[in-house]
Amino acid sequence: MKIYITLLTSLLLLNCQTKKEENTTEANSIEETNVTLTPKQLENAALTIGTVEERTVASVLKVNGIIDVPPQNLISISMPLGGYLKSTKLLPGMHLNKGEVIATMEDQQYIQLQQDYLITQSRLSFAEKEYERQKELNQSQASSDKVYQMANADYKSLRVTLNALGEKLKLINVNPSTLTEKNISKSVNIYAPINCFVSKVNVNIGKNVNPSDVLFELINPEDIHLNLKVFEKDINKLSIGQKLIAYTNNQPEDKHKCEIILISKDLSLDAHAAEVHCHFDDYDRMLLPGMYMNAEIEVKSKNTQTVPEDAIVTYEGKDYVFIAIDKSNFKMTEVSTGASENGYIEITNAADLAQKKIVTKGSYTLLMVLKNKSED
C-alpha cells in the first residue's frame, strides 16, 4: 500500500513540475517576441516607422530550359552522288558565310557525268539541225512523214536527256552553262548554303561516302531559340509576346532578353510541363544548342498590400516584422510574404497588420537586441 501511495505522489509531483515548465517556456516564448529599447538604443538604431501600403507588384516566374534549334534551321550536308572527301577545313563551332567552300569531293563518276553532258549537248546541236532540215523537206514533200517524225523524236529525246544531265550536274555544284571540254574536273566543291556555324563533322579526308551519308551538320543561328519547361499550374500566366530574361549558371550576371513566340498545348506525362519557345532579341554566338539556361518571366501585375523589403527579418526559416507598440516597445510578428518588386514585398496576411505601425527600417537591429536578450 505504501508503494502505491509513493508512486501516486511521485506522478502528481512530476505532472505539476511539467506544467510549471510548460508555463515557464510559454512565458519565455511570449517574452522573447517583445523588445524594449533605451533612449540611447533608439537614437543609434535610427528606426523608421510606417504602415502596410497598397502597391502594384508583378511577380516573377523562375523556370529553366535548354537552347534549341527548330528542324528548319538544322541543315544536314550530304553528297547526292557520293564520292571521296578530298579536303575540308571544318571543325565543330566554326562559323561559315553563305557560299563559302566547306569541302571538296572527288570521284570518276563526276567526270563521266560531265562527259555525258557535253556529248549529249553536241548530239543535240546536230539533232536540232537535222530536225529543221527534215521539217523543211517534209513541208515541200521532199521527205516522208516517218523520217520527219523520227528526227523530231530524236531532237526532243536528246533535249530531255540534256536537261536531266544538267540537273544532275547542279546537284554536285557544277554549272552546266559554263561547262566545256576544257574545264572537265574530277573534283567538285560543296558550298555553305547559308550563314551558319558547324555543329558536327562526321567524315575525314579520304573517306568514301554514300549519297545517304551526312557529311556535316550546320546550324542557322538566326532562329536559335530557348525552349523552357513550364509547369501546368503556371501556363495560364504566360502569353505570346511576353518578355523575359535568361542567363546561364556559369554567367548569371550576363542577361539575355527574350520574347515568348510559342506556347505548347501538350503537357509531358512525367512532369506535367509544357514547352514554351522563346526568341532571343540579340543572339549571342557563345550560346550553343543544348546549353542549359535559367529564365525569369515577369507575370501579370496586381494590386496588393506591401511593406518595404527592409521591414522583413528572417529568423529560423520564418519571416517577421516588428510592430511598434509605442515609441520604445516593439513586438515581433510572423508574416507570410509573396512576390517582390522594386524594393517592396507582398504581405499575404496583411489583414493582421491593418492600422498598425510597422518598423520599415532597422528591423534587423531589433532582431539582434531580441536575440541577445534571449541568450541572457
Side-chain angles (χ1 to χ4, degrees):
M1 185 67 179
K2 290 181 180 180
I3 295 175
Y4 286 117
I5 292 173
T6 302
L7 287 174
L8 181 60
T9 303
S10 299
L11 289 173
L12 288 172
L13 289 173
L14 180 61
N15 187 37
C16 291
Q17 184 178 357
T18 302
K19 288 184 177 180
K20 183 178 180 180
E21 290 177 355
E22 289 178 352
N23 292 334
T24 303
T25 303
E26 184 177 355
N28 290 337
S29 177
I30 293 173
E31 185 179 359
E32 287 176 359
T33 64
N34 293 272
V35 59
T36 301
L37 299 184
T38 65
K40 186 63 176 178
Q41 288 176 322
L42 279 172
E43 182 180 352
N44 293 333
L47 304 180
T48 301
I49 307 299
T51 59
V52 176
E53 299 178 3
E54 183 175 308
R55 287 179 178 271
T56 300
V57 176
S59 59
V60 175
L61 178 64
K62 295 184 178 182
V63 293
N64 54 62
I66 62 172
I67 298 176
D68 197 8
V69 182
Q72 64 269 25
N73 287 74
L74 183 62
I75 303 169
S76 297
I77 301 295
S78 59
M79 192 60 181
L81 300 184
Y84 293 88
L85 180 63
K86 179 182 178 181
S87 65
T88 183
K89 63 177 183 179
L90 297 195
L91 292 173
M94 182 180 293
H95 183 266
L96 300 172
N97 295 318
K98 182 178 181 180
E100 185 175 350
V101 176
I102 59 177
T104 301
M105 304 291 298
E106 281 188 352
D107 201 89
Q108 63 179 4
Q109 62 179 319
Y110 306 155
I111 302 173
Q112 185 64 51
L113 182 57
Q114 295 170 78
Q115 176 184 339
D116 292 344
Y117 180 84
L118 291 174
I119 291 175
T120 303
Q121 187 179 53
S122 178
R123 291 177 58 193
L124 178 62
S125 178
F126 172 78
E128 182 179 9
K129 293 177 181 179
E130 179 64 16
Y131 165 71
E132 294 294 339
R133 191 174 72 86
Q134 292 296 334
K135 182 178 180 181
E136 291 178 2
L137 292 173
N138 183 261
Q139 289 176 349
S140 61
Q141 303 296 319
S143 68
S144 64
D145 291 341
K146 182 178 180 181
V147 174
Y148 166 69
Q149 290 171 356
M150 288 181 62
N152 185 26
D154 288 342
Y155 169 63
K156 289 183 177 180
S157 176
L158 287 171
R159 191 167 62 182
V160 170
T161 302
L162 188 70
N163 288 336
L165 291 171
E167 292 301 317
K168 287 183 178 181
L169 288 173
K170 291 178 182 178
L171 286 175
I172 59 173
N173 298 314
V174 174
N175 187 353
S177 62
T178 60
L179 181 63
T180 66
E181 66 275 9
K182 295 181 180 180
N183 60 6
I184 295 177
S185 175
K186 62 180 180 179
S187 302
V188 297
N189 293 327
I190 301 176
Y191 301 93
I194 57 171
N195 294 331
C196 56
F197 64 84
V198 182
S199 174
K200 293 181 182 179
V201 178
N202 300 322
V203 290
N204 54 272
I205 294 175
K207 185 174 183 178
N208 183 26
V209 298
N210 297 315
S212 59
D213 293 341
V214 176
L215 309 183
F216 314 103
E217 288 188 6
L218 310 178
I219 292 177
N220 178 6
E222 297 298 325
D223 197 29
I224 285 181
H225 61 255
L226 180 61
N227 185 359
L228 299 175
K229 297 291 185 182
V230 180
F231 290 110
E232 178 183 5
K233 63 183 180 65
D234 297 320
I235 286 296
N236 292 334
K237 300 176 183 178
L238 307 181
S239 61
I240 303 297
Q242 199 165 356
K243 301 292 184 179
L244 59 109
I245 58 170
Y247 53 91
T248 63
N249 289 329
N250 296 331
Q251 295 179 305
E253 72 285 352
D254 192 4
K255 308 294 185 181
H256 303 275
K257 294 182 179 179
C258 304
E259 179 181 336
I260 295 177
I261 59 173
L262 177 66
I263 300 175
S264 175
K265 303 300 180 183
D266 295 326
L267 298 176
S268 61
L269 296 178
D270 53 347
H272 268 261
E275 293 184 351
V276 176
H277 299 272
C278 311
H279 186 268
F280 290 96
D281 290 353
D282 295 306
Y283 176 69
D284 186 346
R285 290 181 181 176
M286 298 302 294
L287 300 177
L288 303 177
M291 186 178 289
Y292 285 93
M293 296 196 77
N294 302 307
E296 295 180 359
I297 309 172
E298 185 177 298
V299 298
K300 295 179 180 179
S301 302
K302 60 180 179 179
N303 291 330
T304 187
Q305 300 297 320
T306 66
V307 296
E309 290 182 345
D310 290 342
I312 304 294
V313 294
T314 302
Y315 181 63
E316 294 184 346
K318 296 181 180 180
D319 294 326
Y320 299 90
V321 297
F322 282 92
I323 297 176
I325 300 174
D326 53 38
K327 185 178 179 180
S328 57
N329 290 283
F330 306 91
K331 180 179 178 63
M332 188 170 74
T333 303
E334 184 178 352
V335 293
S336 298
T337 58
S340 61
E341 184 183 28
N342 299 328
Y344 286 85
I345 188 167
E346 177 186 9
I347 303 297
T348 57
N349 63 332
D352 298 339
L353 306 178
Q355 299 179 348
K356 293 182 179 179
K357 294 181 179 181
I358 299 169
V359 176
T360 57
K361 187 176 181 181
S363 298
Y364 271 100
T365 300
L366 294 176
L367 180 61
M368 292 301 102
V369 174
L370 189 60
K371 287 178 65 178
N372 291 335
K373 177 182 175 182
S374 299
E375 291 173 358
D376 294 342

